[in-house]
Amino acid sequence: MRQSLMNLFQRWTAVAALNKKRTLVAVTAVTAVCGAGFLALTMLQPPELADLSEENRYQLPNLKAQWARGDLVVLVRHLERCDKEDFPCWEGSDGVTSRSVAVGRELGEDFFQLGLSKSDIYNSPLSRTAQTEQIVFKDVGKDQEWLYRCRETMLADALKSKMPGRNLVLVTHSSCIAKFEQALGYDSDTPDYGTSLFFSATEAPGSLAALGFLDAEDWFIALGF
């Protein structure tokens, strides 16, 4: 009887060890598949634009050089919307907030320090973008309907408007910026109000190279002004 119990216990122990091994193999296989799937998903996701005040600071000398040559396209998201925030409006209920005016004027000084002699400035005709252009660029820009109705043609319209040897500055909307990025193979989070996104001309037709973005408050950190 005792021998039988010993044999039964040994068989149970062997079966348990085998099941444990099979479970470990199965878990390892599932983990490997999940890891491979996550890696593949990560590789398939479009990249985001990098922050020029942080990980892409090495691009700043290149940015300044290309700006001086008039090779850049810059998208600027309008200042803080009055109809989305519980703050007083600057002018009219569909424009920007009064508290964003100081931010816009500081951003204008930053662009002035960078230099605007070789720049063409366009803006969407909606109040919030027109007011942003007025505050930042002293109302020298031109209204362009395609900077509002820009769903699928944003990149093509920008490239048609970019003149050789002149930077192109576009004051526009977050939805238009998203379409512009997607056309170039990028997919970033919605930029903050007043953020500037920098792209440089390339030899490839119908394309631009992404340098990165600067939030309105980060110009001093990145460029020293």
mmCIF file of all heavy atoms in Angstrom, residues 107-155:
data_model
loop_
_atom_site.group_PDB
_atom_site.id
_atom_site.type_symbol
_atom_site.label_atom_id
_atom_site.label_comp_id
_atom_site.label_asym_id
_atom_site.label_seq_id
_atom_site.Cartn_x
_atom_site.Cartn_y
_atom_site.Cartn_z
ATOM 1 N N LEU A 107 5.771 86.718 -28.841
ATOM 2 C CA LEU A 107 6.092 85.860 -29.980
ATOM 3 C C LEU A 107 6.490 86.701 -31.189
ATOM 4 O O LEU A 107 7.402 86.344 -31.945
ATOM 5 C CB LEU A 107 4.888 84.980 -30.313
ATOM 6 C CG LEU A 107 5.053 83.979 -31.458
ATOM 7 C CD1 LEU A 107 6.187 83.008 -31.174
ATOM 8 C CD2 LEU A 107 3.743 83.218 -31.687
ATOM 9 N N GLY A 108 5.824 87.828 -31.369
ATOM 10 C CA GLY A 108 6.191 88.735 -32.454
ATOM 11 C C GLY A 108 7.614 89.247 -32.312
ATOM 12 O O GLY A 108 8.355 89.351 -33.304
ATOM 13 N N GLU A 109 8.016 89.561 -31.079
ATOM 14 C CA GLU A 109 9.395 89.993 -30.835
ATOM 15 C C GLU A 109 10.377 88.880 -31.171
ATOM 16 O O GLU A 109 11.463 89.131 -31.713
ATOM 17 C CB GLU A 109 9.552 90.416 -29.371
ATOM 18 C CG GLU A 109 8.917 91.745 -29.036
ATOM 19 C CD GLU A 109 9.552 92.904 -29.799
ATOM 20 O OE1 GLU A 109 10.804 92.918 -29.911
ATOM 21 O OE2 GLU A 109 8.816 93.762 -30.300
ATOM 22 N N ASP A 110 9.989 87.645 -30.872
ATOM 23 C CA ASP A 110 10.863 86.510 -31.189
ATOM 24 C C ASP A 110 11.056 86.395 -32.702
ATOM 25 O O ASP A 110 12.190 86.203 -33.182
ATOM 26 C CB ASP A 110 10.249 85.219 -30.643
ATOM 27 C CG ASP A 110 10.196 85.186 -29.126
ATOM 28 O OD1 ASP A 110 11.055 85.824 -28.501
ATOM 29 O OD2 ASP A 110 9.286 84.525 -28.584
ATOM 30 N N PHE A 111 9.984 86.483 -33.456
ATOM 31 C CA PHE A 111 10.103 86.416 -34.913
ATOM 32 C C PHE A 111 10.893 87.606 -35.449
ATOM 33 O O PHE A 111 11.667 87.470 -36.408
ATOM 34 C CB PHE A 111 8.717 86.370 -35.561
ATOM 35 C CG PHE A 111 8.164 84.984 -35.735
ATOM 36 C CD1 PHE A 111 7.178 84.508 -34.888
ATOM 37 C CD2 PHE A 111 8.629 84.153 -36.748
ATOM 38 C CE1 PHE A 111 6.656 83.224 -35.045
ATOM 39 C CE2 PHE A 111 8.121 82.878 -36.917
ATOM 40 C CZ PHE A 111 7.133 82.411 -36.055
ATOM 41 N N PHE A 112 10.707 88.777 -34.832
ATOM 42 C CA PHE A 112 11.459 89.956 -35.259
ATOM 43 C C PHE A 112 12.954 89.741 -35.041
ATOM 44 O O PHE A 112 13.777 90.107 -35.892
ATOM 45 C CB PHE A 112 10.978 91.192 -34.490
ATOM 46 C CG PHE A 112 11.744 92.445 -34.823
ATOM 47 C CD1 PHE A 112 11.474 93.160 -35.984
ATOM 48 C CD2 PHE A 112 12.749 92.910 -33.982
ATOM 49 C CE1 PHE A 112 12.192 94.318 -36.292
ATOM 50 C CE2 PHE A 112 13.463 94.052 -34.282
ATOM 51 C CZ PHE A 112 13.186 94.760 -35.444
ATOM 52 N N GLN A 113 13.315 89.137 -33.902
ATOM 53 C CA GLN A 113 14.717 88.845 -33.629
ATOM 54 C C GLN A 113 15.267 87.834 -34.628
ATOM 55 O O GLN A 113 16.425 87.938 -35.062
ATOM 56 C CB GLN A 113 14.866 88.290 -32.207
ATOM 57 C CG GLN A 113 14.609 89.297 -31.105
ATOM 58 C CD GLN A 113 15.733 90.318 -30.980
ATOM 59 O OE1 GLN A 113 16.880 90.033 -31.328
ATOM 60 N NE2 GLN A 113 15.405 91.496 -30.503
ATOM 61 N N LEU A 114 14.447 86.876 -35.024
ATOM 62 C CA LEU A 114 14.875 85.905 -36.025
ATOM 63 C C LEU A 114 15.065 86.587 -37.375
ATOM 64 O O LEU A 114 15.968 86.237 -38.147
ATOM 65 C CB LEU A 114 13.840 84.778 -36.117
ATOM 66 C CG LEU A 114 14.250 83.465 -36.773
ATOM 67 C CD1 LEU A 114 15.464 82.857 -36.079
ATOM 68 C CD2 LEU A 114 13.082 82.478 -36.749
ATOM 69 N N GLY A 115 14.206 87.586 -37.645
ATOM 70 C CA GLY A 115 14.305 88.352 -38.889
ATOM 71 C C GLY A 115 13.172 88.044 -39.845
ATOM 72 O O GLY A 115 12.941 86.866 -40.160
ATOM 73 N N LEU A 116 12.476 89.076 -40.302
ATOM 74 C CA LEU A 116 11.312 88.866 -41.170
ATOM 75 C C LEU A 116 11.475 89.481 -42.561
ATOM 76 O O LEU A 116 10.525 89.524 -43.331
ATOM 77 C CB LEU A 116 10.061 89.447 -40.502
ATOM 78 C CG LEU A 116 9.569 88.700 -39.261
ATOM 79 C CD1 LEU A 116 8.463 89.501 -38.577
ATOM 80 C CD2 LEU A 116 9.082 87.310 -39.622
ATOM 81 N N SER A 117 12.672 89.933 -42.882
ATOM 82 C CA SER A 117 12.874 90.593 -44.167
ATOM 83 C C SER A 117 12.717 89.649 -45.356
ATOM 84 O O SER A 117 12.418 90.087 -46.469
ATOM 85 C CB SER A 117 14.261 91.255 -44.211
ATOM 86 O OG SER A 117 15.281 90.281 -44.068
ATOM 87 N N LYS A 118 12.908 88.356 -45.119
ATOM 88 C CA LYS A 118 12.774 87.367 -46.187
ATOM 89 C C LYS A 118 11.579 86.453 -45.940
ATOM 90 O O LYS A 118 11.650 85.250 -46.168
ATOM 91 C CB LYS A 118 14.040 86.515 -46.309
ATOM 92 C CG LYS A 118 15.265 87.261 -46.789
ATOM 93 C CD LYS A 118 16.441 86.298 -46.935
ATOM 94 C CE LYS A 118 17.680 86.994 -47.451
ATOM 95 N NZ LYS A 118 18.816 86.039 -47.602
ATOM 96 N N SER A 119 10.482 87.021 -45.474
ATOM 97 C CA SER A 119 9.335 86.190 -45.104
ATOM 98 C C SER A 119 8.040 86.709 -45.709
ATOM 99 O O SER A 119 7.792 87.916 -45.741
ATOM 100 C CB SER A 119 9.191 86.140 -43.579
ATOM 101 O OG SER A 119 10.335 85.565 -42.980
ATOM 102 N N ASP A 120 7.219 85.769 -46.178
ATOM 103 C CA ASP A 120 5.845 86.053 -46.592
ATOM 104 C C ASP A 120 4.927 85.480 -45.526
ATOM 105 O O ASP A 120 5.092 84.325 -45.109
ATOM 106 C CB ASP A 120 5.546 85.413 -47.948
ATOM 107 C CG ASP A 120 6.419 85.982 -49.054
ATOM 108 O OD1 ASP A 120 6.588 87.223 -49.111
ATOM 109 O OD2 ASP A 120 6.944 85.183 -49.862
ATOM 110 N N ILE A 121 3.950 86.272 -45.089
ATOM 111 C CA ILE A 121 3.083 85.881 -43.987
ATOM 112 C C ILE A 121 1.641 85.822 -44.471
ATOM 113 O O ILE A 121 1.113 86.805 -45.008
ATOM 114 C CB ILE A 121 3.208 86.865 -42.802
ATOM 115 C CG1 ILE A 121 4.671 86.913 -42.324
ATOM 116 C CG2 ILE A 121 2.271 86.472 -41.665
ATOM 117 C CD1 ILE A 121 4.967 88.057 -41.382
ATOM 118 N N TYR A 122 1.028 84.673 -44.288
ATOM 119 C CA TYR A 122 -0.368 84.465 -44.655
ATOM 120 C C TYR A 122 -1.135 83.988 -43.425
ATOM 121 O O TYR A 122 -0.574 83.362 -42.531
ATOM 122 C CB TYR A 122 -0.494 83.407 -45.759
ATOM 123 C CG TYR A 122 0.130 83.778 -47.077
ATOM 124 C CD1 TYR A 122 0.604 82.780 -47.932
ATOM 125 C CD2 TYR A 122 0.265 85.099 -47.483
ATOM 126 C CE1 TYR A 122 1.179 83.083 -49.155
ATOM 127 C CE2 TYR A 122 0.843 85.421 -48.697
ATOM 128 C CZ TYR A 122 1.299 84.414 -49.541
ATOM 129 O OH TYR A 122 1.873 84.732 -50.743
ATOM 130 N N ASN A 123 -2.433 84.282 -43.413
ATOM 131 C CA ASN A 123 -3.262 83.817 -42.308
ATOM 132 C C ASN A 123 -4.648 83.420 -42.788
ATOM 133 O O ASN A 123 -5.142 83.908 -43.808
ATOM 134 C CB ASN A 123 -3.391 84.883 -41.220
ATOM 135 C CG ASN A 123 -4.050 86.156 -41.723
ATOM 136 O OD1 ASN A 123 -3.351 87.060 -42.207
ATOM 137 N ND2 ASN A 123 -5.366 86.246 -41.617
ATOM 138 N N SER A 124 -5.249 82.520 -42.036
ATOM 139 C CA SER A 124 -6.657 82.185 -42.251
ATOM 140 C C SER A 124 -7.493 83.440 -41.977
ATOM 141 O O SER A 124 -7.173 84.225 -41.084
ATOM 142 C CB SER A 124 -7.065 81.056 -41.296
ATOM 143 O OG SER A 124 -8.460 81.056 -41.087
ATOM 144 N N PRO A 125 -8.578 83.646 -42.732
ATOM 145 C CA PRO A 125 -9.381 84.852 -42.540
ATOM 146 C C PRO A 125 -10.289 84.834 -41.314
ATOM 147 O O PRO A 125 -10.901 85.861 -40.999
ATOM 148 C CB PRO A 125 -10.218 84.921 -43.821
ATOM 149 C CG PRO A 125 -10.320 83.509 -44.281
ATOM 150 C CD PRO A 125 -9.020 82.865 -43.902
ATOM 151 N N LEU A 126 -10.399 83.710 -40.593
ATOM 152 C CA LEU A 126 -11.245 83.683 -39.402
ATOM 153 C C LEU A 126 -10.688 84.628 -38.336
ATOM 154 O O LEU A 126 -9.492 84.907 -38.289
ATOM 155 C CB LEU A 126 -11.341 82.268 -38.853
ATOM 156 C CG LEU A 126 -12.041 81.238 -39.743
ATOM 157 C CD1 LEU A 126 -12.321 79.963 -38.949
ATOM 158 C CD2 LEU A 126 -13.339 81.772 -40.334
ATOM 159 N N SER A 127 -11.568 85.104 -37.466
ATOM 160 C CA SER A 127 -11.192 86.149 -36.507
ATOM 161 C C SER A 127 -10.002 85.762 -35.646
ATOM 162 O O SER A 127 -9.081 86.560 -35.432
ATOM 163 C CB SER A 127 -12.389 86.493 -35.614
ATOM 164 O OG SER A 127 -13.416 87.097 -36.353
ATOM 165 N N ARG A 128 -9.986 84.529 -35.132
ATOM 166 C CA ARG A 128 -8.920 84.152 -34.199
ATOM 167 C C ARG A 128 -7.554 84.090 -34.878
ATOM 168 O O ARG A 128 -6.537 84.407 -34.259
ATOM 169 C CB ARG A 128 -9.246 82.833 -33.510
ATOM 170 C CG ARG A 128 -9.509 81.647 -34.418
ATOM 171 C CD ARG A 128 -9.963 80.445 -33.598
ATOM 172 N NE ARG A 128 -10.289 79.267 -34.398
ATOM 173 C CZ ARG A 128 -11.470 79.029 -34.932
ATOM 174 N NH1 ARG A 128 -12.453 79.891 -34.763
ATOM 175 N NH2 ARG A 128 -11.701 77.925 -35.623
ATOM 176 N N THR A 129 -7.520 83.697 -36.149
ATOM 177 C CA THR A 129 -6.238 83.668 -36.862
ATOM 178 C C THR A 129 -5.860 85.050 -37.390
ATOM 179 O O THR A 129 -4.690 85.423 -37.373
ATOM 180 C CB THR A 129 -6.304 82.653 -38.016
ATOM 181 O OG1 THR A 129 -7.594 82.708 -38.629
ATOM 182 C CG2 THR A 129 -6.063 81.243 -37.517
ATOM 183 N N ALA A 130 -6.854 85.808 -37.838
ATOM 184 C CA ALA A 130 -6.572 87.171 -38.313
ATOM 185 C C ALA A 130 -6.080 88.038 -37.154
ATOM 186 O O ALA A 130 -5.143 88.838 -37.317
ATOM 187 C CB ALA A 130 -7.823 87.770 -38.944
ATOM 188 N N GLN A 131 -6.692 87.896 -35.984
ATOM 189 C CA GLN A 131 -6.241 88.657 -34.825
ATOM 190 C C GLN A 131 -4.841 88.222 -34.383
ATOM 191 O O GLN A 131 -4.019 89.056 -33.994
ATOM 192 C CB GLN A 131 -7.229 88.493 -33.675
ATOM 193 C CG GLN A 131 -8.533 89.250 -33.876
ATOM 194 C CD GLN A 131 -9.471 89.123 -32.684
ATOM 195 O OE1 GLN A 131 -9.126 88.527 -31.662
ATOM 196 N NE2 GLN A 131 -10.662 89.672 -32.815
ATOM 197 N N THR A 132 -4.582 86.935 -34.448
ATOM 198 C CA THR A 132 -3.241 86.445 -34.098
ATOM 199 C C THR A 132 -2.196 87.057 -35.012
ATOM 200 O O THR A 132 -1.141 87.534 -34.557
ATOM 201 C CB THR A 132 -3.193 84.909 -34.192
ATOM 202 O OG1 THR A 132 -4.101 84.345 -33.251
ATOM 203 C CG2 THR A 132 -1.789 84.391 -33.911
ATOM 204 N N GLU A 133 -2.462 87.064 -36.303
ATOM 205 C CA GLU A 133 -1.525 87.670 -37.262
ATOM 206 C C GLU A 133 -1.341 89.147 -36.953
ATOM 207 O O GLU A 133 -0.220 89.666 -37.002
ATOM 208 C CB GLU A 133 -2.040 87.461 -38.687
ATOM 209 C CG GLU A 133 -1.058 87.876 -39.778
ATOM 210 C CD GLU A 133 -1.017 89.382 -39.976
ATOM 211 O OE1 GLU A 133 -2.090 90.027 -39.925
ATOM 212 O OE2 GLU A 133 0.091 89.920 -40.179
ATOM 213 N N GLN A 134 -2.430 89.833 -36.627
ATOM 214 C CA GLN A 134 -2.356 91.267 -36.318
ATOM 215 C C GLN A 134 -1.489 91.515 -35.081
ATOM 216 O O GLN A 134 -0.649 92.437 -35.074
ATOM 217 C CB GLN A 134 -3.768 91.812 -36.076
ATOM 218 C CG GLN A 134 -3.810 93.301 -35.748
ATOM 219 C CD GLN A 134 -5.230 93.777 -35.477
ATOM 220 O OE1 GLN A 134 -6.201 93.048 -35.684
ATOM 221 N NE2 GLN A 134 -5.352 95.005 -34.999
ATOM 222 N N ILE A 135 -1.669 90.696 -34.048
ATOM 223 C CA ILE A 135 -0.917 90.873 -32.799
ATOM 224 C C ILE A 135 0.554 90.501 -32.981
ATOM 225 O O ILE A 135 1.449 91.233 -32.541
ATOM 226 C CB ILE A 135 -1.553 90.022 -31.683
ATOM 227 C CG1 ILE A 135 -2.955 90.527 -31.358
ATOM 228 C CG2 ILE A 135 -0.678 90.017 -30.434
ATOM 229 C CD1 ILE A 135 -3.787 89.560 -30.520
ATOM 230 N N VAL A 136 0.808 89.384 -33.631
ATOM 231 C CA VAL A 136 2.174 88.869 -33.734
ATOM 232 C C VAL A 136 2.964 89.581 -34.832
ATOM 233 O O VAL A 136 4.125 89.965 -34.623
ATOM 234 C CB VAL A 136 2.163 87.350 -33.999
ATOM 235 C CG1 VAL A 136 3.582 86.811 -34.188
ATOM 236 C CG2 VAL A 136 1.466 86.611 -32.859
ATOM 237 N N PHE A 137 2.331 89.781 -35.997
ATOM 238 C CA PHE A 137 3.064 90.268 -37.168
ATOM 239 C C PHE A 137 2.637 91.665 -37.629
ATOM 240 O O PHE A 137 2.937 92.055 -38.759
ATOM 241 C CB PHE A 137 2.914 89.258 -38.315
ATOM 242 C CG PHE A 137 3.475 87.908 -38.000
ATOM 243 C CD1 PHE A 137 2.639 86.821 -37.775
ATOM 244 C CD2 PHE A 137 4.842 87.710 -37.906
ATOM 245 C CE1 PHE A 137 3.153 85.556 -37.480
ATOM 246 C CE2 PHE A 137 5.362 86.459 -37.605
ATOM 247 C CZ PHE A 137 4.519 85.386 -37.389
ATOM 248 N N LYS A 138 1.933 92.393 -36.760
ATOM 249 C CA LYS A 138 1.596 93.806 -37.019
ATOM 250 C C LYS A 138 0.726 94.000 -38.255
ATOM 251 O O LYS A 138 0.815 95.020 -38.941
ATOM 252 C CB LYS A 138 2.879 94.656 -37.158
ATOM 253 C CG LYS A 138 3.908 94.461 -36.063
ATOM 254 C CD LYS A 138 3.365 94.805 -34.689
ATOM 255 C CE LYS A 138 4.439 94.694 -33.617
ATOM 256 N NZ LYS A 138 3.903 94.917 -32.254
ATOM 257 N N ASP A 139 -0.087 92.999 -38.559
ATOM 258 C CA ASP A 139 -1.078 93.105 -39.633
ATOM 259 C C ASP A 139 -0.453 93.284 -41.014
ATOM 260 O O ASP A 139 -1.006 93.974 -41.877
ATOM 261 C CB ASP A 139 -2.045 94.273 -39.347
ATOM 262 C CG ASP A 139 -3.414 94.037 -39.952
ATOM 263 O OD1 ASP A 139 -3.720 92.885 -40.315
ATOM 264 O OD2 ASP A 139 -4.183 95.016 -40.071
ATOM 265 N N VAL A 140 0.678 92.646 -41.247
ATOM 266 C CA VAL A 140 1.295 92.705 -42.584
ATOM 267 C C VAL A 140 0.946 91.474 -43.411
ATOM 268 O O VAL A 140 1.304 91.387 -44.579
ATOM 269 C CB VAL A 140 2.833 92.831 -42.480
ATOM 270 C CG1 VAL A 140 3.216 94.102 -41.738
ATOM 271 C CG2 VAL A 140 3.448 91.605 -41.808
ATOM 272 N N GLY A 141 0.266 90.517 -42.809
ATOM 273 C CA GLY A 141 -0.074 89.285 -43.506
ATOM 274 C C GLY A 141 -1.245 89.433 -44.457
ATOM 275 O O GLY A 141 -1.942 90.452 -44.465
ATOM 276 N N LYS A 142 -1.455 88.400 -45.250
ATOM 277 C CA LYS A 142 -2.540 88.382 -46.225
ATOM 278 C C LYS A 142 -3.502 87.233 -45.895
ATOM 279 O O LYS A 142 -3.079 86.121 -45.584
ATOM 280 C CB LYS A 142 -1.979 88.193 -47.637
ATOM 281 C CG LYS A 142 -1.035 89.302 -48.073
ATOM 282 C CD LYS A 142 -0.470 89.009 -49.464
ATOM 283 C CE LYS A 142 0.491 90.104 -49.898
ATOM 284 N NZ LYS A 142 1.085 89.810 -51.235
ATOM 285 N N ASP A 143 -4.796 87.545 -45.989
ATOM 286 C CA ASP A 143 -5.802 86.510 -45.774
ATOM 287 C C ASP A 143 -5.751 85.486 -46.902
ATOM 288 O O ASP A 143 -5.663 85.847 -48.073
ATOM 289 C CB ASP A 143 -7.204 87.130 -45.745
ATOM 290 C CG ASP A 143 -7.447 87.962 -44.488
ATOM 291 O OD1 ASP A 143 -6.584 87.977 -43.605
ATOM 292 O OD2 ASP A 143 -8.517 88.599 -44.406
ATOM 293 N N GLN A 144 -5.807 84.218 -46.521
ATOM 294 C CA GLN A 144 -5.827 83.143 -47.499
ATOM 295 C C GLN A 144 -6.901 82.127 -47.091
ATOM 296 O O GLN A 144 -6.801 81.501 -46.035
ATOM 297 C CB GLN A 144 -4.466 82.445 -47.583
ATOM 298 C CG GLN A 144 -3.338 83.338 -48.067
ATOM 299 C CD GLN A 144 -3.477 83.684 -49.534
ATOM 300 O OE1 GLN A 144 -3.880 82.850 -50.331
ATOM 301 N NE2 GLN A 144 -3.141 84.914 -49.887
ATOM 302 N N GLU A 145 -7.902 81.957 -47.939
ATOM 303 C CA GLU A 145 -9.002 81.052 -47.634
ATOM 304 C C GLU A 145 -8.515 79.621 -47.434
ATOM 305 O O GLU A 145 -9.062 78.875 -46.620
ATOM 306 C CB GLU A 145 -10.044 81.109 -48.748
ATOM 307 C CG GLU A 145 -11.339 80.381 -48.455
ATOM 308 C CD GLU A 145 -12.191 81.075 -47.408
ATOM 309 O OE1 GLU A 145 -11.984 82.288 -47.170
ATOM 310 O OE2 GLU A 145 -13.047 80.407 -46.819
ATOM 311 N N TRP A 146 -7.474 79.223 -48.162
ATOM 312 C CA TRP A 146 -7.013 77.833 -48.071
ATOM 313 C C TRP A 146 -6.381 77.508 -46.716
ATOM 314 O O TRP A 146 -6.222 76.346 -46.370
ATOM 315 C CB TRP A 146 -6.040 77.497 -49.197
ATOM 316 C CG TRP A 146 -4.789 78.322 -49.272
ATOM 317 C CD1 TRP A 146 -4.616 79.469 -49.996
ATOM 318 C CD2 TRP A 146 -3.538 78.063 -48.634
ATOM 319 N NE1 TRP A 146 -3.330 79.938 -49.834
ATOM 320 C CE2 TRP A 146 -2.654 79.092 -49.008
ATOM 321 C CE3 TRP A 146 -3.081 77.053 -47.787
ATOM 322 C CZ2 TRP A 146 -1.335 79.150 -48.571
ATOM 323 C CZ3 TRP A 146 -1.767 77.095 -47.339
ATOM 324 C CH2 TRP A 146 -0.909 78.144 -47.735
ATOM 325 N N LEU A 147 -6.071 78.542 -45.918
ATOM 326 C CA LEU A 147 -5.544 78.297 -44.581
ATOM 327 C C LEU A 147 -6.656 78.002 -43.577
ATOM 328 O O LEU A 147 -6.385 77.713 -42.412
ATOM 329 C CB LEU A 147 -4.717 79.487 -44.107
ATOM 330 C CG LEU A 147 -3.322 79.574 -44.717
ATOM 331 C CD1 LEU A 147 -2.647 80.889 -44.369
ATOM 332 C CD2 LEU A 147 -2.475 78.397 -44.263
ATOM 333 N N TYR A 148 -7.893 78.090 -44.042
ATOM 334 C CA TYR A 148 -9.027 77.649 -43.234
ATOM 335 C C TYR A 148 -9.644 76.392 -43.835
ATOM 336 O O TYR A 148 -9.874 75.404 -43.152
ATOM 337 C CB TYR A 148 -10.074 78.765 -43.137
ATOM 338 C CG TYR A 148 -11.401 78.298 -42.591
ATOM 339 C CD1 TYR A 148 -11.481 77.717 -41.327
ATOM 340 C CD2 TYR A 148 -12.565 78.444 -43.331
ATOM 341 C CE1 TYR A 148 -12.698 77.282 -40.817
ATOM 342 C CE2 TYR A 148 -13.782 78.009 -42.828
ATOM 343 C CZ TYR A 148 -13.853 77.435 -41.577
ATOM 344 O OH TYR A 148 -15.048 76.998 -41.087
ATOM 345 N N ARG A 149 -9.883 76.418 -45.160
ATOM 346 C CA ARG A 149 -10.435 75.259 -45.850
ATOM 347 C C ARG A 149 -9.263 74.428 -46.396
ATOM 348 O O ARG A 149 -8.994 74.417 -47.592
ATOM 349 C CB ARG A 149 -11.371 75.704 -46.978
ATOM 350 C CG ARG A 149 -12.493 76.603 -46.490
ATOM 351 C CD ARG A 149 -13.480 76.943 -47.585
ATOM 352 N NE ARG A 149 -14.495 77.861 -47.121
ATOM 353 C CZ ARG A 149 -15.564 77.514 -46.395
ATOM 354 N NH1 ARG A 149 -15.747 76.257 -46.062
ATOM 355 N NH2 ARG A 149 -16.452 78.413 -46.005
ATOM 356 N N CYS A 150 -8.604 73.748 -45.483
ATOM 357 C CA CYS A 150 -7.309 73.147 -45.826
ATOM 358 C C CYS A 150 -7.284 71.643 -45.629
ATOM 359 O O CYS A 150 -6.222 71.066 -45.476
ATOM 360 C CB CYS A 150 -6.238 73.761 -44.938
ATOM 361 S SG CYS A 150 -6.646 73.616 -43.184
ATOM 362 N N ARG A 151 -8.433 71.013 -45.645
ATOM 363 C CA ARG A 151 -8.510 69.627 -45.205
ATOM 364 C C ARG A 151 -7.518 68.691 -45.908
ATOM 365 O O ARG A 151 -6.757 68.003 -45.286
ATOM 366 C CB ARG A 151 -9.942 69.101 -45.382
ATOM 367 C CG ARG A 151 -10.956 69.841 -44.517
ATOM 368 C CD ARG A 151 -10.646 69.648 -43.037
ATOM 369 N NE ARG A 151 -11.615 70.303 -42.180
ATOM 370 C CZ ARG A 151 -11.450 71.506 -41.656
ATOM 371 N NH1 ARG A 151 -10.342 72.182 -41.890
ATOM 372 N NH2 ARG A 151 -12.370 72.034 -40.880
ATOM 373 N N GLU A 152 -7.506 68.676 -47.227
ATOM 374 C CA GLU A 152 -6.661 67.724 -47.948
ATOM 375 C C GLU A 152 -5.579 68.397 -48.794
ATOM 376 O O GLU A 152 -4.713 67.715 -49.324
ATOM 377 C CB GLU A 152 -7.522 66.829 -48.858
ATOM 378 C CG GLU A 152 -8.602 66.046 -48.131
ATOM 379 C CD GLU A 152 -8.058 65.075 -47.091
ATOM 380 O OE1 GLU A 152 -6.894 64.680 -47.216
ATOM 381 O OE2 GLU A 152 -8.802 64.725 -46.163
ATOM 382 N N THR A 153 -5.632 69.698 -48.925
ATOM 383 C CA THR A 153 -4.716 70.379 -49.850
ATOM 384 C C THR A 153 -3.730 71.292 -49.139
ATOM 385 O O THR A 153 -3.044 72.069 -49.791
ATOM 386 C CB THR A 153 -5.519 71.209 -50.869
ATOM 387 O OG1 THR A 153 -6.272 72.220 -50.170
ATOM 388 C CG2 THR A 153 -6.482 70.324 -51.652
ATOM 389 N N MET A 154 -3.654 71.195 -47.833
ATOM 390 C CA MET A 154 -2.822 72.115 -47.058
ATOM 391 C C MET A 154 -1.374 72.109 -47.526
ATOM 392 O O MET A 154 -0.785 73.164 -47.789
ATOM 393 C CB MET A 154 -2.914 71.737 -45.579
ATOM 394 C CG MET A 154 -2.095 72.603 -44.659
ATOM 395 S SD MET A 154 -2.780 74.246 -44.506
ATOM 396 C CE MET A 154 -1.735 74.903 -43.211
ATOM 397 N N LEU A 155 -0.775 70.938 -47.620
ATOM 398 C CA LEU A 155 0.629 70.847 -48.024
ATOM 399 C C LEU A 155 0.822 71.360 -49.441
ATOM 400 O O LEU A 155 1.739 72.149 -49.703
ATOM 401 C CB LEU A 155 1.127 69.413 -47.904
ATOM 402 C CG LEU A 155 2.565 69.159 -48.376
ATOM 403 C CD1 LEU A 155 3.552 69.984 -47.579
ATOM 404 C CD2 LEU A 155 2.908 67.673 -48.274
#
